């Protein structure tokens, strides 16, 4: 079998109290599968980004609550269960999906622990269906907005099956364009410091047989100014009520450059990433991951020992720079004056 017909990877699964996940820190060199059967290991896996991407950590969190309810009966071992809920929910702060899924499964586990597993599976299935829907809606929109029939799509971080459960968000749009023979090339940014674009998006694009060329992060804005891409497609970790969007650091600079170049800038995310209780991007907590990731690449130091660094994992793109948000159920055309609460969008 060539890379081009490699089957889809299902990032995450759960059977009988054990979460199985591909270890994204080992890719692309090694395909390692982790079997996680306790809360401390799950929290550590989320924190070190073995499982990452907003929808994927949401699903992992849902399974984590189901697993915790098996280990600590919420009705009799309440303190241990509630500590587990807290630790999972707080493992990463920016992606709203984690809090959303924990808050969905935990109340069910508190009254009927067995039903928690069914709810977690429902969340996984919803993410799968959402990825397919976003791919179709997004591909239609890209073709409509660009008027082109062969698309050059720039993207950042990893928003594919690894970041969801299968197919993804922004990368699902690219995959759908490729399946429709409408993808000229994908242009992923490498995405320092942890190289999700260079390590993971390339791995997925290669497996799906899509044409692509990798660029360094700082080349993105310049290449947009030279007309190298027809569209920028990004995922999201949290979309505030006014449309401001938190996503991987570097998204904001791409949005500024896309505006300057007149290139559509499209956010692709499931409805579960929209957080109407957060008014604007100013209210979104941005995870700071500390200096070590900046001062090194894949554990090799690139700066003198003791170098301090600033390491925001995400930035916020203001709504005014976003052409449209594509979810699994609707398209919100921000550039045309629609809002997240407009009646018209659908
Ligand atoms: O730090 P990461 O790798 O979890 O960041 C992921 C992103 O920024 C993604 O773009 C976002 O979660 C959407 S994934 C479908």
């Amino acid at each position: 079998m060539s890379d081009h017909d490699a089957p889809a990877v299902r990032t995450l699964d759960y059977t009988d109290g054990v979460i199985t996940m591909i270890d994204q820190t080992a890719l692309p060199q090694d395909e390692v599968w982790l079997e996680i059967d306790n809360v401390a290991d799950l929290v550590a896996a989320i924190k070190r980004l073995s499982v990452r991407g907003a929808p994927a950590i949401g699903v992992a969190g849902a399974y984590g609550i189901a697993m915790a309810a098996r280990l600590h009966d919420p009705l009799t071992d309440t303190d241990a269960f509630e500590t587990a809920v807290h630790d999972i929910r707080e493992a990463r702060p920016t992606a709203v999906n984690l809090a959303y899924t924990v808050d969905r499964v935990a109340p069910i586990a508190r009254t009927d622990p067995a039903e928690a597993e069914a709810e977690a599976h429902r969340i996984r299935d919803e993410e799968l269906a959402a990825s397919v829907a976003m791919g179709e809606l997004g591909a239609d929109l890209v073709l409509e907005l660009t008027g082109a029939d062969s698309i050059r799509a720039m993207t950042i971080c990893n928003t594919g099956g690894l970041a969801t459960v299968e197919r993804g968000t922004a990368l699902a749009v690219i995959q759908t364009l490729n399946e429709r023979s409408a993808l000229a090339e994908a242009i992923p940014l490498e995405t320092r410091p942890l190289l999700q674009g260079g390590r993971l998006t390339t791995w997925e694009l290669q497996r799906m047989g899509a044409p692509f060329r990798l660029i360094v992060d700082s080349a993105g804005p310049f290449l947009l100014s030279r007309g190298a891409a027809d569209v920028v497609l990004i995922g999201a970790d949290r979309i505030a009520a006014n449309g401001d969007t938190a996503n991987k650091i570097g998204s904001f600079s791409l949005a500024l450059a896309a505006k300057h170049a007149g290139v559509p800038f499209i956010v692709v995310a499931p409805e579960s990433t929209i957080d109407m209780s957060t008014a604007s991007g100013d209210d979104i907590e941005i995870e700071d991951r500390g200096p070590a990731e900046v001062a090194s690449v894949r554990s090799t130091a690139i700066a003198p020992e003791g170098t301090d660094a600033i390491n925001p994992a995400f930035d916020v793109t203001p709504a005014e720079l976003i052409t449209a948000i594509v979810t699994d159920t609707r398209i919100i055309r921000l550039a045309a004056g629609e809002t997240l609460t407009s009646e018209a969008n659908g």
Side-chain angles (χ1 to χ4, degrees):
M1 186 172 63
S2 78
D3 280 346
H4 289 196
D5 29 66
V9 171
R10 181 164 291 195
T11 315
L12 272 170
D13 230 321
Y14 173 91
T15 320
D16 297 334
V18 179
I19 302 172
T20 310
M21 64 171 72
I22 191 163
D23 183 356
Q24 299 190 37
T25 65
L27 288 171
Q29 285 83 6
D30 299 307
E31 218 174 283
V32 177
W33 288 86
L34 305 175
E35 296 203 336
I36 293 183
D37 63 2
N38 66 83
V39 172
D41 286 353
L42 174 64
V43 170
I46 293 173
K47 284 182 191 283
R48 72 169 176 266
L49 274 51
S50 285
V51 58
R52 47 146 296 285
I57 59 174
V59 174
Y63 283 138
I65 301 300
M67 178 175 74
R70 271 186 181 240
L71 296 170
H72 312 288
D73 187 332
L75 306 173
T76 56
D77 195 2
T78 310
D79 286 354
F81 175 73
E82 295 304 336
T83 300
V85 171
H86 172 270
D87 290 352
I88 294 169
R89 197 178 189 282
E90 303 300 314
R92 291 192 78 190
T94 304
V96 70
N97 307 58
L98 182 57
Y100 165 79
T101 59
V102 168
D103 292 349
R104 239 177 94 172
V105 181
I108 296 171
R110 285 182 193 112
T111 53
D112 181 358
E115 184 52 28
E117 300 197 351
E119 183 69 0
H121 282 310
R122 267 192 292 280
I123 288 172
R124 192 251 345 250
D125 292 346
E126 286 167 15
E127 290 298 349
L128 286 173
S131 286
V132 174
M134 285 183 280
E136 295 296 331
L137 277 176
D140 289 347
L141 180 69
V142 168
L143 293 169
E144 177 207 310
L145 289 178
T146 61
D149 53 16
S150 191
I151 304 295
R152 299 162 302 159
M154 191 174 283
T155 190
I156 187 168
C157 197
N158 171 266
T159 60
L162 291 170
T164 55
V165 181
E166 267 182 39
R167 292 186 78 88
T169 58
L171 203 63
V173 176
I174 290 172
Q175 182 169 358
T176 305
L177 288 168
N178 189 49
E179 287 163 358
R180 295 185 189 178
S181 303
L183 181 71
E185 69 172 344
I187 307 172
L189 274 68
E190 62 176 350
T191 320
R192 270 283 285 152
L194 296 181
L195 302 170
Q196 289 94 328
R199 296 186 300 107
L200 307 176
T201 300
T202 51
W203 185 78
E204 291 202 51
L205 286 165
Q206 207 165 62
R207 286 177 67 92
M208 68 178 81
F212 70 91
R213 287 186 290 171
L214 178 66
I215 60 173
V216 297
D217 297 333
S218 41
F222 170 67
L223 287 172
L224 285 171
S225 78
R226 285 288 171 99
D230 306 299
V231 67
V232 179
L233 293 160
I234 69 160
D237 285 80
R238 189 181 297 243
I239 300 173
N242 70 346
D244 291 353
T245 294
N247 190 54
K248 182 51 59 191
I249 191 76
S251 302
F252 180 32
S253 10
L254 281 185
L256 286 165
K259 185 84 163 181
H260 188 261
V263 171
F265 185 90
I266 299 175
V267 174
V268 188
E271 287 285 328
S272 53
T273 302
I274 297 173
D275 177 13
M276 294 305 283
S277 70
T278 295
S280 82
D282 292 345
D283 307 311
I284 299 176
E285 183 184 346
I286 299 296
E287 177 182 6
D288 188 309
R289 294 187 55 83
E293 293 173 355
V294 179
S296 64
V297 175
R298 304 286 272 162
S299 305
T300 301
I302 58 160
E305 207 179 322
T307 294
D308 203 358
I310 309 170
N311 186 14
F314 304 97
D315 59 25
V316 177
T317 299
E320 71 226 42
L321 297 179
I322 298 170
T323 310
I325 296 172
V326 175
T327 77
D328 43 315
T329 59
R330 56 186 172 146
I331 296 170
I332 304 118
R333 295 170 193 257
L334 297 181
E338 290 183 1
T339 65
L340 287 166
T341 50
S342 301
E343 292 294 315
N345 55 63

